[in-house]
Coordinates of all heavy atoms in Angstrom, one line a residue:
A1616 N 112.4 102.2 61.2 CA 111.3 102.4 62.2 C 111.8 102.1 63.6 O 112.4 101.1 63.8 CB 110.1 101.5 61.8
I1617 N 111.6 103.1 64.5 CA 112.0 102.9 65.9 C 110.8 103.2 66.8 O 110.1 104.2 66.6 CB 113.1 104.0 66.2 CG1 114.3 103.7 65.3 CG2 113.5 103.9 67.7 CD1 115.4 104.7 65.5
S1618 N 110.6 102.2 67.7 CA 109.5 102.3 68.6 C 110.0 102.3 70.0 O 110.9 101.6 70.4 CB 108.5 101.2 68.4 OG 107.4 101.3 69.3
T1619 N 109.5 103.2 70.9 CA 109.9 103.3 72.3 C 108.7 102.8 73.2 O 107.6 102.9 72.8 CB 110.3 104.7 72.7 OG1 109.2 105.6 72.4 CG2 111.5 105.2 71.9
W1620 N 109.1 102.3 74.4 CA 108.1 101.8 75.3 C 107.1 102.9 75.7 O 105.9 102.7 75.9 CB 108.7 101.1 76.5 CG 109.3 99.8 76.2 CD1 110.6 99.5 75.9 CD2 108.6 98.6 76.1 NE1 110.7 98.1 75.7 CE2 109.5 97.5 75.8 CE3 107.2 98.2 76.3 CZ2 109.1 96.2 75.7 CZ3 106.8 96.9 76.2 CH2 107.8 95.9 75.9
E1621 N 107.7 104.1 76.0 CA 106.8 105.2 76.4 C 106.6 106.1 75.2 O 107.4 106.2 74.3 CB 107.5 106.0 77.5 CG 107.5 105.3 78.9 CD 108.7 104.2 78.9 OE1 109.8 104.5 78.4 OE2 108.4 103.2 79.5
R1622 N 105.5 106.8 75.3 CA 105.2 107.8 74.2 C 106.2 109.0 74.4 O 106.6 109.4 75.4 CB 103.8 108.3 74.3 CG 102.7 107.2 74.1 CD 101.4 107.9 74.2 NE 100.3 106.9 74.1 CZ 99.0 107.3 74.0 NH1 98.7 108.5 73.9 NH2 98.1 106.3 73.9
Q1623 N 106.4 109.6 73.2 CA 107.1 110.9 73.2 C 106.1 111.9 72.7 O 105.6 111.8 71.6 CB 108.3 110.8 72.2 CG 109.2 109.6 72.3 CD 109.8 109.4 73.7 OE1 110.1 110.3 74.4 NE2 110.0 108.1 74.1
Q1624 N 105.8 112.9 73.6 CA 104.9 113.9 73.2 C 105.3 114.7 71.9 O 104.6 114.9 71.0 CB 104.6 114.9 74.3 CG 103.7 114.4 75.4 CD 104.5 113.7 76.5 OE1 105.7 113.6 76.4 NE2 103.8 113.2 77.5
H1625 N 106.6 115.0 71.9 CA 107.3 115.6 70.7 C 108.7 115.1 70.7 O 109.3 114.8 71.7 CB 107.3 117.1 70.9 CG 107.6 117.9 69.7 ND1 108.9 117.9 69.2 CD2 106.9 118.7 68.8 CE1 108.9 118.7 68.1 NE2 107.7 119.2 67.9
L1626 N 109.2 114.9 69.5 CA 110.6 114.4 69.4 C 111.7 115.3 69.9 O 112.8 114.9 70.1 CB 110.9 114.0 68.0 CG 110.4 112.6 67.5 CD1 110.9 112.3 66.1 CD2 110.8 111.5 68.5
N1627 N 111.4 116.6 70.0 CA 112.3 117.5 70.7 C 112.0 117.4 72.2 O 110.9 117.8 72.6 CB 112.1 118.9 70.1 CG 113.1 119.9 70.7 OD1 114.1 119.5 71.3 ND2 112.9 121.2 70.4
P1628 N 112.9 116.9 73.0 CA 114.3 116.8 72.9 C 114.8 115.3 72.8 O 115.9 115.0 73.3 CB 114.8 117.4 74.2 CG 113.8 116.9 75.2 CD 112.5 116.8 74.4
V1629 N 114.1 114.4 72.2 CA 114.5 113.1 72.0 C 115.4 112.9 70.8 O 115.0 113.3 69.7 CB 113.3 112.1 72.0 CG1 113.8 110.7 71.7 CG2 112.5 112.2 73.2
A1630 N 116.5 112.3 71.0 CA 117.4 112.0 69.8 C 117.4 110.5 69.6 O 117.7 109.7 70.4 CB 118.8 112.5 70.1
L1631 N 117.1 110.2 68.3 CA 117.1 108.8 67.9 C 118.3 108.7 66.9 O 118.3 109.4 65.9 CB 115.8 108.4 67.2 CG 114.5 108.6 68.0 CD1 113.3 108.3 67.1 CD2 114.5 107.8 69.3
K1632 N 119.3 107.9 67.2 CA 120.6 107.9 66.5 C 120.8 106.5 65.9 O 120.8 105.5 66.6 CB 121.7 108.4 67.4 CG 121.6 109.7 68.0 CD 122.8 110.1 68.8 CE 122.6 111.5 69.4 NZ 123.8 111.9 70.2
I1633 N 121.2 106.5 64.6 CA 121.5 105.3 64.0 C 122.9 105.4 63.4 O 123.1 106.2 62.5 CB 120.5 104.9 62.8 CG1 119.1 104.8 63.4 CG2 120.9 103.6 62.2 CD1 118.1 104.8 62.3
F1634 N 123.9 104.7 64.0 CA 125.3 104.8 63.4 C 125.4 103.7 62.4 O 125.0 102.6 62.6 CB 126.3 104.6 64.6 CG 126.4 105.8 65.5 CD1 125.6 105.9 66.6 CD2 127.3 106.8 65.2 CE1 125.7 107.0 67.5 CE2 127.4 107.9 66.1 CZ 126.6 108.0 67.2
V1635 N 126.0 104.1 61.2 CA 126.1 103.2 60.1 C 127.6 103.0 59.7 O 128.3 104.0 59.4 CB 125.3 103.9 58.9 CG1 125.4 102.9 57.7 CG2 123.9 104.2 59.3
D1636 N 127.9 101.8 59.6 CA 129.3 101.4 59.1 C 129.1 100.6 57.8 O 128.8 99.4 57.8 CB 129.9 100.5 60.2 CG 131.3 100.0 59.8 OD1 131.8 100.3 58.7 OD2 131.9 99.1 60.5
I1637 N 129.3 101.3 56.7 CA 128.9 100.7 55.4 C 129.9 99.7 54.9 O 129.6 98.9 54.0 CB 128.6 101.8 54.3 CG1 129.9 102.6 54.0 CG2 127.5 102.7 54.7 CD1 129.7 103.6 52.9
D1638 N 131.2 99.8 55.4 CA 132.2 98.9 54.9 C 132.6 97.8 55.9 O 133.6 97.1 55.7 CB 133.4 99.6 54.4 CG 134.0 100.6 55.4 OD1 133.5 100.5 56.6 OD2 134.8 101.4 55.0
Q1639 N 131.9 97.9 57.1 CA 132.1 96.9 58.2 C 133.6 96.8 58.6 O 134.1 95.7 58.9 CB 131.6 95.5 57.7 CG 130.2 95.4 57.4 CD 129.7 94.0 57.1 OE1 130.2 93.4 56.2 NE2 128.8 93.4 57.9
D1640 N 134.2 98.0 58.7 CA 135.6 98.0 59.1 C 135.7 98.3 60.6 O 136.8 98.5 61.2 CB 136.4 99.0 58.3 CG 136.0 100.4 58.5 OD1 134.9 100.7 59.2 OD2 136.7 101.3 58.0
G1641 N 134.5 98.4 61.3 CA 134.5 98.7 62.7 C 134.5 100.2 63.0 O 134.5 100.6 64.2
T1642 N 134.6 101.0 62.0 CA 134.5 102.5 62.2 C 133.2 103.0 61.6 O 133.0 102.8 60.4 CB 135.7 103.2 61.6 OG1 136.9 102.6 62.2 CG2 135.7 104.7 61.8
D1643 N 132.5 103.8 62.3 CA 131.2 104.3 61.8 C 131.5 105.3 60.7 O 132.4 106.2 60.8 CB 130.4 105.0 62.9 CG 129.9 103.9 63.9 OD1 129.4 102.9 63.5 OD2 129.9 104.2 65.1
D1644 N 130.7 105.3 59.6 CA 130.9 106.2 58.5 C 129.8 107.3 58.5 O 130.1 108.4 58.1 CB 130.8 105.4 57.2 CG 131.8 104.3 57.1 OD1 133.0 104.7 57.2 OD2 131.4 103.2 56.9
F1645 N 128.6 107.0 59.0 CA 127.5 108.0 59.0 C 126.7 107.9 60.3 O 126.7 106.8 60.9 CB 126.6 107.8 57.8 CG 127.2 108.0 56.4 CD1 127.8 106.9 55.8 CD2 127.2 109.2 55.9 CE1 128.4 107.1 54.5 CE2 127.8 109.5 54.6 CZ 128.4 108.4 54.0
L1646 N 126.1 109.0 60.6 CA 125.1 109.0 61.7 C 123.8 109.6 61.2 O 123.8 110.7 60.6 CB 125.6 109.9 62.8 CG 124.6 110.3 63.9 CD1 124.1 109.0 64.6 CD2 125.2 111.3 64.9
I1647 N 122.7 108.8 61.3 CA 121.4 109.2 60.9 C 120.7 109.6 62.2 O 120.6 108.8 63.2 CB 120.6 108.1 60.2 CG1 121.4 107.6 59.0 CG2 119.2 108.6 59.8 CD1 120.9 106.3 58.4
Q1648 N 120.1 110.8 62.3 CA 119.3 111.2 63.5 C 118.3 112.3 63.2 O 118.4 112.9 62.2 CB 120.2 111.6 64.6 CG 120.9 113.0 64.5 CD 121.6 113.4 65.8 OE1 122.8 113.1 65.9 NE2 120.8 114.0 66.7
N1649 N 117.4 112.4 64.1 CA 116.4 113.5 64.0 C 117.0 114.8 64.6 O 117.7 114.7 65.7 CB 115.1 113.2 64.7 CG 115.3 112.8 66.2 OD1 116.0 111.9 66.5 ND2 114.7 113.6 67.0
V1650 N 116.8 115.9 64.0 CA 117.3 117.2 64.5 C 116.2 118.3 64.3 O 115.4 118.1 63.4 CB 118.6 117.7 63.9 CG1 119.7 116.7 64.2 CG2 118.5 117.9 62.4
D1651 N 116.3 119.3 65.0 CA 115.4 120.5 64.7 C 115.8 121.2 63.4 O 117.0 121.3 63.1 CB 115.5 121.5 65.9 CG 114.4 122.5 65.8 OD1 113.3 122.2 66.3 OD2 114.7 123.6 65.2
L1652 N 114.8 121.6 62.7 CA 115.1 122.2 61.4 C 116.0 123.4 61.5 O 116.8 123.7 60.6 CB 113.7 122.6 60.8 CG 113.8 123.3 59.4 CD1 114.4 122.4 58.4 CD2 112.4 123.8 59.0
S1653 N 115.9 124.2 62.6 CA 116.7 125.4 62.8 C 118.2 125.1 62.9 O 119.0 125.9 62.6 CB 116.3 126.2 64.0 OG 116.6 125.5 65.2
G1654 N 118.5 123.9 63.4 CA 119.9 123.5 63.7 C 120.4 124.2 64.9 O 121.6 124.1 65.2
D1655 N 119.6 125.0 65.6 CA 120.0 125.7 66.8 C 119.2 125.3 68.0 O 118.0 125.7 68.1 CB 119.9 127.2 66.5 CG 120.4 128.1 67.7 OD1 120.9 127.5 68.7 OD2 120.3 129.3 67.6
P1656 N 119.7 124.5 68.9 CA 119.0 124.1 70.1 C 118.4 125.3 70.9 O 117.4 125.1 71.6 CB 120.0 123.3 70.9 CG 121.0 122.8 69.9 CD 121.1 124.0 68.9
A1657 N 119.1 126.4 70.9 CA 118.7 127.6 71.7 C 117.5 128.3 71.0 O 116.8 129.0 71.7 CB 119.9 128.5 71.8

Side-chain angles (χ1 to χ4, degrees):
I1617 298 175
S1618 184
T1619 57
W1620 283 99
E1621 290 79 38
R1622 298 183 183 188
Q1623 317 298 333
Q1624 283 89 3
H1625 192 289
L1626 275 185
N1627 185 8
V1629 176
L1631 306 175
K1632 301 181 177 183
I1633 304 168
F1634 286 91
V1635 182
D1636 177 5
I1637 63 171
D1638 53 10
Q1639 296 187 300
D1640 65 352
T1642 301
D1643 293 319
D1644 301 303
F1645 294 92
L1646 167 62
I1647 303 166
Q1648 75 171 91
N1649 59 297
V1650 299
D1651 189 85
L1652 179 63
S1653 72
D1655 182 1

